[in-house]
Amino acid sequence: ENMKKYFDIPTKTIFRDRGDRGVYKDIISLSTENQASYYFKEYLNKLFEGFNKAFRKIPVNVFRWNRSAKVAFLSGMIDADGYIHIDTGECFLGSTNKELALGQMKLVQTLGIPAKVRVNHYKGGTNFNNVRYTVNFYPTEEIINALACAKKKKNFKAYTWLLWSA
């Protein structure tokens, strides 16, 4: 709705069902020939230094934003691509893009939260040595409250309940 409202770019919603792992929506912008659409896409490409996730980076100016804007940006990444472990409350952001993972870690650390990047290898197709980078950290209530994903909020609440009831 906002893409159409503010940028005159129509979108399509695709519902995804991953069974126990949850249901989510992909929001895809549809190609249009209007000038606003072209300039917006070029703006995003320049800002994130690539359309493809393999080449994207956290924009440098994000690190200069105020705390609430950084929390909102981080929460959006967790909503889109993160996981909160129900047994530990730990947050994981995974990517095959090393520079993106290092930027995510830096963003978390600018909020005063310790974070680490771990490397793991996984099987993908016929290649048994693919590399994924995982940013691990314990989110604060501030970050959890900014999430839109009810399942991730629920996982965090379940963990805190287990922690306090022990």
Side-chain angles (χ1 to χ4, degrees):
E1 294 174 7
N2 285 337
M3 293 292 283
K4 180 69 177 159
K5 179 178 176 182
Y6 295 112
F7 304 106
D8 196 26
I9 301 171
T11 59
K12 173 171 82 170
T13 302
I14 299 174
F15 292 90
R16 307 283 187 186
D17 186 346
R18 296 175 35 190
D20 292 343
R21 298 185 73 189
V23 176
Y24 67 96
K25 300 177 204 174
D26 278 337
I27 311 297
I28 300 168
S29 65
L30 301 174
S31 227
T32 64
E33 300 301 319
N34 69 38
Q35 232 179 359
S37 173
Y38 172 79
Y39 287 119
F40 184 70
K41 289 177 184 177
E42 287 304 310
Y43 169 75
L44 291 177
N45 185 39
K46 185 176 179 181
L47 183 66
F48 290 96
E49 298 185 39
F51 284 121
N52 188 311
K53 189 175 180 179
F55 304 109
R56 288 184 204 149
K57 300 175 185 172
I58 304 289
V60 175
N61 63 335
V62 169
F63 301 104
R64 293 187 289 268
W65 290 354
N66 67 37
R67 183 175 185 85
S68 63
K70 288 180 191 178
V71 166
F73 191 84
L74 176 60
S75 296
M77 285 189 289
I78 296 168
D79 274 328
D81 232 7
Y83 174 74
I84 297 177
H85 197 283
I86 194 167
D87 294 330
T88 65
E90 188 172 16
C91 184
F92 302 90
L93 285 168
S95 177
T96 57
N97 177 333
K98 183 178 183 180
E99 192 160 354
L100 180 60
L102 291 172
Q104 290 169 330
M105 179 184 71
K106 180 179 175 183
L107 179 59
V108 172
Q109 291 174 339
T110 65
L111 296 169
I113 301 168
K116 295 179 185 176
V117 173
R118 296 196 170 128
V119 178
N120 66 344
H121 298 273
Y122 67 98
K123 178 183 172 186
T126 58
N127 185 352
F128 291 90
N129 204 23
N130 289 328
V131 175
R132 179 182 296 126
Y133 303 92
T134 306
V135 180
N136 304 59
F137 63 97
Y138 290 94
T140 62
E141 286 278 347
E142 176 185 34
I143 293 168
I144 297 301
N145 290 336
L147 293 175
C149 179
K151 181 179 179 183
K152 291 171 186 170
K153 286 183 174 191
K154 181 180 169 188
N155 281 359
F156 184 78
K157 299 298 182 203
Y159 161 73
T160 55
W161 181 84
L162 287 171
L163 179 69
W164 294 110
S165 65

